[in-house]
Amino acid sequence: MSLIHEIDYGTPRSTSETMVTLTIDGETLTVPEGTSIMRAAGEMGTAIPKLCATDMLDAYGSCRLCLVEIEGRAGTPASCTTPVMPGMVVKTQTERLKRLRKGVMELYISDHPLDCLTCAANGDCELQDMAGAVGLRDVRYGHEGHNHPNPGKDESNPYFTYDPSKCIVCSRCVRACEEVQGTFALTIAGRGFDSVVSPGMEESFLGSECVSCGACVQACPTATLTEKSVIEIGQPEHSVITTCAYCGVGCTFKAEMRGNEVVRMVPWKDGKANRGHSCVKGRFAWGYASHKERILNPMIRASITDPWREVSWEEAIAYTASEFKRIQARYGRLSIGGITSSRCTNEETFLVQKLIRGGFGNNNVDTCARVCHSPTGYGLSQTYGTSAGTQDFDSVEQADVILLIGANPTDAHPVFGSRMKKRLREGAKLIVVDPRRIDLVRTPHVEAAHHLPLKPGTNVAVLTAMAHVIVTEGLADEAFVRERCDWDEFQDWASFVADPRHSPEAIEAVSGVPAADLRAAARLYATGGNGAIYYGLGVTEHSQGSTTVMAIANLAMATGNIGRPGVGVNPLRGQNNVQGACDMGSFPHEFSGYRHVSGDETRQLFESLWGVPLDSEPGLRIPNMLDAAVDGVFKGLYVQGEDILQSDPDTRHVAAGLAAMECVVVQDLFLNETANYAHVFLPGSTFLEKDGTFTNAERRIQRVRKVMPSKSGKADWEITLALAHAMGFNMNYAHPSEIMDEIARLTPSFAGVSYAKLEAEGSVQWPCNEKAPLGTPVMHIDGFVRGKGRFMVTEYVATDERTGPRFPLLLTTGRILSQYNVGAQTRRTENVVWHEEDRLEMHPHDAEQRGVQDGQWVKLASRSGETSLRALITERVAPGVVYTTFHHPGTQANVVTTDFSDWATNCPEYKVTAVQVSASNGPTAWQESYEDRARSSRRILPVVEAAE
Ligand code: SF4
Ligand code: SF4
Ligand code: SF4
Ligand code: FES
């Protein structure tokens, strides 16, 4: 294996369809109009020396190293900033050019420390490479003269250092922060020889606006910005392409390695989801994989009050199988079930649901999508006929109006957030529908045209009012609707939304959104060109989550914003493989590819391949499993890669359900909160330790590749396989590719997917089958999957969760950039420097009324329970609304959330909880004893004691 080197063509690819023919160094070539001479030369294999240019950034033309001669033109223009012209004749190497380039390099080197041998970038430094490329052998000016200002090293960022002594002031970092990341955290302070790169107003990196995405580090051609891991470990010697295991953007990375140790993760330029960009999580937060708290041996215990006993894999698997068989013999076939994980691969998820359907003999399988995007599945399949977003991420580059509802991409989907910001800086308009003033409402060079700060729980009212404006003001695309949708259903829907009770003026009192703003936003979406809707959990995690998804689908159909690039309905998925987990048949009523278990033909297909009879009755959802456990009829649970105690609503009820079971099996990396109630712990593997695929939010199936051996000895799919065998259910696979072959045989939308195709294409978006062998970037182009698009009437029904004198505020929850989900991984990395604890955001008005100061402990109480955390006073939230994250188990925000849920899918109503906030002196009693309880439930007997 060797390091995978990506060619840097110096300037971005031109997308023009007009072609230009020219001659470079005597060779004739044809390239798209707008291509730079540098790139054209690079594409024919001639690397023109360069320092300030890189193909992730627009040409800048400051270093003067890339000079060329052009026939008929005076001087020596920079090849990075000069576009090709028809008939142009270019020379890239002449005596004059050699002399000029050497002169430029001499100046750079005369001002550079001569410590190459001990420099962390030695061997991976473009300055060093360019000195070699221009044949520099000595420097006439010596090194004694005046040097650039050196404000001293900045090591404040936990992941990279800034050493200004090595800076050549090429501005690549500044431009990367602006053009790629869109944060504008860096500037060049000073002028001329005194120029120096500065984060913010001469702050440290950590103290500045920097979000630690790593784009500047990647862009830096010298050792000025360097990953600390490279300084510590040394230069990598081989690399493997794989996919980030954090969020649903699904960024592709090059894992750069020394032996079995990861040196750094570098975003892969050919990654179709991220196009060479990353965020702080995927780029830097992989240290959890070797964290000391990882459990590497299987463990069992007879009772949850006993300490854990480490056992062999054989004993753990045999014990689990015998317990599950005992429970089924005593309480019946339906008394056990399992939960698949959106963090595991498609292949692993497919095996878990196969084990449950085929080995347990029931359909008691559910997944964590139950608590996030299950309404997306339901809402989009009802209206369009398929349970997924309609576009690829590239589509945003053609959007003219972006309607963002209940999503906060710069925190939760950061790389897509950066792509969105880029399009907004190019002039697309933005409408934000969110109770909070999220970053995108106003961020450098981006300002939303409209922010509709609705009251939590009123999405349906607001979207129906937008539809009211579109229909009553004649803004619907009637031609599109007549051709593509069911016309009768459209008319029913149109007369429903046109009712004056749905007018913006009528719903203003309910939603808190000024009618004029709502009208203006609706007009903009309907008439502003390509209108693209992006939404998140602020849409789905409501008692009307499915209704809101249908209201969104209605808006897109009514305005003809579906079925082409630049438009569409795009759910931004939280976890890396939440789309895949749903696709793989993780819901109790569906086989892979969203086919109902009651369908005889489909079921028989699975039965004949799996060799067992399958149940035609849907099984239990997660909340039903917990209810049944409390009722004493559900006794055994296999949980792969989820922490339902921390992530599911109404913690007390979850705990009661788990405590009532006789065998809870947790398969995970760490002893999570759910494991406090487990009898068997099976150590899982990280994404670095296994092969498989993830499917991201744009339906893109991408390879996960093993870069190091599994620390626990088994990949998660191998654990499920062993358990199936022990249960007497036959499954045989030598490699995850064989599992994918089976998925393809059984799932029409995956019929054309294979590891060979993924190797060849990099990735494909489902549906990938005979009709679309290379996948489907944009769906519903010629017609909806279900035939005619279906308009659904979306009556607004207020949630039963009401504010009142006891609980006058509304709590809504969300995520923060540096943390991920329940924090199991990110809390075990340096990312904690940005978020040491969950805080409660309160508007100054609410804080003042309660005498609460910024940073003070407050008690957060609801009908379900109470917790304490510190207050953050901010105008990001409106008066009457409070907000927190749920990343820390010591806070457990879900202690206060209720068991209200979406009417169609049971997705919990995390986003609306009536609460009261009052000043307090510190953590509540349960929080104070939390660490002791956690320690006690995590006791592991030393091996000697265990053997006795
Ligand atoms: S790490 Fe990212 S946000 Fe921070 S300065 Fe560099 S490019 Fe900007
Ligand atoms: S820090 Fe690196 S990228 Fe930025 S100006 Fe200096 S040398 Fe160029
Ligand atoms: S945006 Fe998501 S997928 Fe990309 S690096 Fe960040 S966490 Fe990973
Ligand atoms: S690479 Fe062209 S001017 Fe620097």
Side-chain angles (χ1 to χ4, degrees):
M1 268 191 291
S2 60
L3 255 187
I4 298 171
H5 277 296
E6 293 167 273
I7 299 173
D8 188 336
Y9 294 98
T11 60
R13 191 171 61 89
S14 162
T15 50
S16 172
E17 285 173 7
T18 311
M19 302 304 278
V20 169
T21 299
L22 73 160
T23 305
I24 299 180
D25 294 339
E27 247 185 76
T28 302
L29 71 158
T30 302
V31 293
E33 189 178 43
T35 303
S36 68
I37 293 175
M38 174 179 278
R39 184 164 184 120
E43 286 180 0
M44 69 173 221
T46 298
I48 299 175
K50 61 181 172 50
L51 275 174
C52 68
T54 175
D55 56 15
M56 286 292 288
L57 304 172
D58 292 339
Y60 190 57
S62 72
C63 74
R64 308 298 297 164
L65 198 63
C66 67
L67 311 176
V68 289
E69 289 179 10
I70 302 173
E71 236 176 62
R73 276 203 207 177
T76 50
S79 63
C80 62
T81 48
T82 310
V84 294
M85 301 292 277
M88 199 179 230
V89 177
V90 180
K91 284 190 188 138
T92 70
Q93 191 75 340
T94 66
E95 287 308 316
R96 177 164 67 144
L97 293 173
K98 281 197 244 173
R99 203 176 54 250
L100 287 170
R101 287 182 191 144
K102 254 190 201 172
V104 171
M105 278 310 294
E106 269 186 282
L107 289 170
Y108 276 115
I109 298 295
S110 69
D111 183 36
H112 199 78
L114 293 178
D115 60 356
C116 287
L117 285 183
T118 52
C119 176
N122 190 12
D124 182 30
C125 170
E126 291 181 44
L127 190 67
Q128 205 177 45
D129 294 347
M130 289 308 119
V134 303
L136 191 71
R137 296 292 170 258
D138 62 18
V139 174
R140 283 170 292 168
Y141 315 112
H143 301 275
E144 289 74 37
H146 188 49
N147 281 81
H148 275 105
N150 180 1
K153 260 193 194 179
D154 176 356
E155 303 201 329
S156 61
N157 183 288
Y159 297 117
F160 59 85
T161 60
Y162 169 53
D163 179 358
S165 71
K166 301 199 164 164
C167 181
I168 58 170
V169 201
C170 64
S171 287
R172 274 163 66 161
C173 54
V174 179
R175 291 180 287 137
C177 193
E178 293 175 5
E179 293 175 29
V180 180
Q181 166 56 27
T183 291
F184 295 77
L186 302 177
T187 50
I188 302 281
R191 283 171 169 262
F193 196 72
D194 291 330
S195 306
V196 64
V197 171
S198 168
M201 303 296 285
E202 297 182 17
E203 292 153 294
S204 69
F205 268 85
L206 192 62
S208 73
E209 294 292 308
C210 167
V211 293
S212 200
C213 71
C216 55
V217 183
Q218 197 182 343
C220 182
T222 65
T224 315
L225 288 161
T226 308
E227 297 91 347
K228 287 183 176 172
S229 55
V230 173
I231 296 172
E232 212 171 278
I233 306 171
Q235 287 293 326
E237 39 76 23
H238 76 271
S239 53
V240 182
I241 305 296
T242 191
T243 305
C244 179
Y246 279 118
C247 85
V249 176
C251 297
T252 311
F253 279 89
K254 210 167 33 147
E256 295 195 343
M257 314 286 298
R258 276 199 85 78
N260 287 333
E261 192 174 15
V262 179
V263 176
R264 64 181 168 192
M265 298 289 280
V266 179
W268 177 239
K269 277 195 293 196
D270 284 347
K272 295 197 176 95
N274 56 322
R275 306 276 180 204
H277 190 35
S278 59
C279 83
V280 60
K281 295 189 283 282
R283 177 78 154 95
F284 296 118
W286 34 266
Y288 68 88
S290 47
H291 194 275
K292 62 180 185 331
E293 284 171 11
R294 246 189 93 177
I295 303 293
L296 300 177
N297 295 309
M299 303 188 297
I300 60 179
R301 57 183 177 181
S303 149
I304 60 169
T305 53
D306 291 346
W308 286 104
R309 185 166 66 88
E310 288 186 350
V311 295
S312 66
W313 273 110
E314 291 70 28
E315 186 176 346
I317 297 288
Y319 178 80
T320 306
S322 74
E323 276 297 279
F324 281 163
K325 283 193 215 161
R326 176 187 67 77
I327 291 171
Q328 281 191 308
R330 175 150 183 216
Y331 300 102
R333 180 175 55 88
L334 302 179
S335 59
I336 64 172
I339 298 175
T340 72
S341 173
S342 294
R343 300 216 284 270
C344 284
T345 63
N346 286 320
E347 293 75 4
E348 288 163 346
T349 308
F350 184 82
L351 282 204
V352 172
Q353 62 89 37
K354 178 173 176 178
L355 165 67
I356 291 162
R357 297 189 205 279
F360 293 5
N362 63 46
N363 289 318
N364 290 338
V365 56
D366 207 357
T367 187
C368 49
R370 169 72 50 219
V371 299
C372 67
H373 265 291
S374 48
T376 289
Y378 182 82
L380 293 185
S381 65
Q382 291 294 307
T383 46
Y384 298 166
T386 195
S387 300
T390 62
Q391 311 296 116
D392 58 0
F393 289 147
D394 287 351
S395 169
V396 77
E397 289 166 15
Q398 295 180 55
D400 300 311
V401 179
I402 294 171
L403 175 52
L404 185 64
I405 312 172
N408 185 5
T410 53
D411 274 289
H413 304 90
V415 166
F416 182 68
S418 289
R419 295 186 71 176
M420 193 181 261
K421 281 197 281 189
K422 187 168 190 191
R423 181 63 191 151
L424 294 168
R425 288 197 305 275
E426 288 166 357
K429 300 275 188 296
L430 175 66
I431 303 163
V432 175
V433 182
D434 201 291
R436 271 177 94 225
R437 215 181 145 73
I438 58 168
D439 280 346
L440 280 172
V441 172
R442 188 165 193 190
T443 194
H445 303 278
V446 168
E447 181 153 16
H450 303 283
H451 173 213
L452 311 185
L454 76 183
K455 227 168 93 184
T458 60
N459 285 331
V460 171
V462 167
L463 292 169
T464 307
M466 286 181 78
H468 174 94
V469 176
I470 288 164
V471 167
T472 56
E473 296 190 8
L475 307 178
D477 185 342
E478 193 181 316
F480 177 90
V481 174
R482 279 189 184 276
E483 189 194 330
R484 301 282 304 273
C485 307
D486 186 305
W487 181 249
D488 290 341
E489 276 167 344
F490 169 73
Q491 284 180 310
D492 290 348
W493 172 80
S495 60
F496 163 76
V497 298
D499 190 307
R501 72 194 166 96
H502 298 306
S503 72
E505 292 69 23
I507 67 108
E508 181 170 332
V510 177
S511 69
V513 176
D517 289 354
L518 197 150
R519 278 193 183 274
R523 287 175 194 140
L524 176 61
Y525 172 68
T527 62
N530 282 342
I533 302 179
Y534 293 86
Y535 71 88
L537 302 182
V539 157
T540 53
E541 290 177 343
H542 288 275
S543 58
Q544 280 201 292
S546 292
T547 318
T548 313
V549 174
M550 293 189 282
I552 286 171
N554 290 339
L555 277 189
M557 284 190 291
T559 52
N561 277 314
I562 196 96
R564 63 178 188 278
V567 297
V569 171
N570 304 278
L572 294 172
R573 306 292 188 142
Q575 306 205 56
N576 54 324
N577 200 34
V578 68
Q579 179 69 56
C582 299
D583 300 341
M584 292 299 103
S586 294
F587 289 129
H589 64 293
E590 286 172 340
F591 290 118
S592 58
Y594 306 97
R595 290 157 301 157
H596 205 276
V597 291
S598 62
D600 291 340
E601 205 180 312
T602 308
R603 206 175 54 258
Q604 280 156 14
L605 178 70
F606 281 79
E607 285 176 338
S608 68
L609 199 70
W610 293 354
V612 286
L614 297 172
D615 198 341
S616 61
E617 284 294 314
L620 298 175
R621 299 169 172 180
I622 295 170
N624 308 129
M625 291 183 206
L626 294 166
D627 291 345
V630 171
D631 293 344
V633 293
F634 188 86
K635 292 288 185 180
L637 185 67
Y638 172 35
V639 192
Q640 187 188 63
E642 282 307 318
D643 189 1
I644 57 170
L645 191 71
Q646 201 185 335
S647 64
D648 285 32
D650 198 353
T651 308
R652 278 196 298 205
H653 181 63
V654 180
L658 288 169
M661 295 184 205
E662 292 182 8
C663 183
V664 174
V665 180
V666 168
Q667 183 172 320
D668 214 320
L669 303 176
F670 302 100
L671 276 169
N672 59 23
E673 299 302 300
T674 307
N676 294 346
Y677 292 86
H679 305 85
V680 179
F681 187 87
L682 303 173
S685 285
T686 67
F687 75 114
L688 298 168
E689 298 160 43
K690 57 197 180 188
D691 282 300
T693 56
F694 292 149
T695 306
N696 76 354
E698 39 164 15
R699 297 170 278 106
R700 188 180 297 285
I701 306 157
Q702 308 190 94
R703 274 299 312 276
V704 177
R705 291 185 181 84
K706 184 172 176 169
V707 306
M708 59 173 70
S710 164
K711 289 183 191 293
S712 66
K714 279 191 197 296
D716 294 76
W717 65 273
E718 292 171 307
I719 301 171
T720 309
L721 201 60
L723 186 54
H725 286 158
M727 295 283 297
F729 178 47
N730 204 21
M731 301 192 206
N732 288 305
Y733 310 96
H735 187 267
S737 63
E738 295 174 10
I739 307 173
M740 180 53 84
D741 292 342
E742 182 173 318
I743 295 166
R745 280 173 73 184
L746 288 169
T747 318
S749 49
F750 275 65
V753 182
S754 67
Y755 277 33
K757 185 172 284 178
L758 295 174
E759 280 312 319
E761 300 301 323
S763 62
V764 289
Q765 288 171 269
W766 67 258
C768 174
N769 47 30
E770 225 171 51
K771 259 172 70 187
L774 295 181
T776 312
V778 176
M779 294 191 80
H780 314 300
I781 287 183
D782 299 320
F784 287 100
V785 169
R786 72 179 299 281
K788 291 281 186 191
R790 183 176 178 201
F791 281 86
M792 301 289 288
V793 167
T794 54
E795 188 71 64
Y796 167 63
V797 180
T799 168
D800 287 337
E801 180 69 358
R802 304 278 161 85
T803 53
R806 269 183 71 209
F807 301 108
L809 302 171
L810 282 177
L811 168 74
T812 187
T813 59
R815 298 165 192 222
I816 201 157
L817 170 68
S818 61
Q819 297 296 318
Y820 174 73
N821 204 265
V822 295
Q825 293 137 290
T826 43
R827 277 187 287 108
R828 291 180 171 97
T829 69
E830 300 285 343
N831 278 26
V832 286
V833 302
W834 290 285
H835 188 74
E836 290 171 341
E837 59 185 336
D838 293 321
R839 291 269 194 121
L840 186 76
E841 291 187 4
M842 295 183 80
H843 190 272
H845 173 75
D846 293 324
E848 195 188 331
Q849 271 193 339
R850 290 163 178 78
V852 171
Q853 309 291 323
D854 191 54
Q856 185 186 341
W857 281 92
V858 289
K859 186 171 84 177
L860 175 69
S862 75
R863 292 177 186 90
S864 297
E866 61 185 47
T867 186
S868 284
L869 65 177
R870 288 194 297 147
L872 177 68
I873 314 295
T874 170
E875 290 188 0
R876 284 171 78 95
V877 286
V881 176
V882 291
Y883 168 88
T884 189
T885 48
F886 54 95
H887 301 304
H888 286 269
T891 314
Q892 293 217 359
N894 285 324
V895 165
V896 296
T897 52
T898 68
D899 60 0
F900 289 125
S901 64
D902 175 45
W903 61 271
T905 65
N906 269 150
C907 181
E909 191 167 45
Y910 289 119
K911 302 294 182 189
V912 193
T913 308
V915 292
Q916 178 57 293
V917 177
S918 51
S920 83
N921 295 327
T924 56
W926 76 258
Q927 285 172 289
E928 284 197 317
S929 60
Y930 164 77
E931 276 307 327
D932 291 342
R933 279 181 291 120
R935 248 193 309 280
S936 130
S937 65
R938 287 172 191 166
R939 271 183 308 141
I940 300 173
L941 283 184
V943 177
V944 177
E945 203 182 322
E948 285 165 358

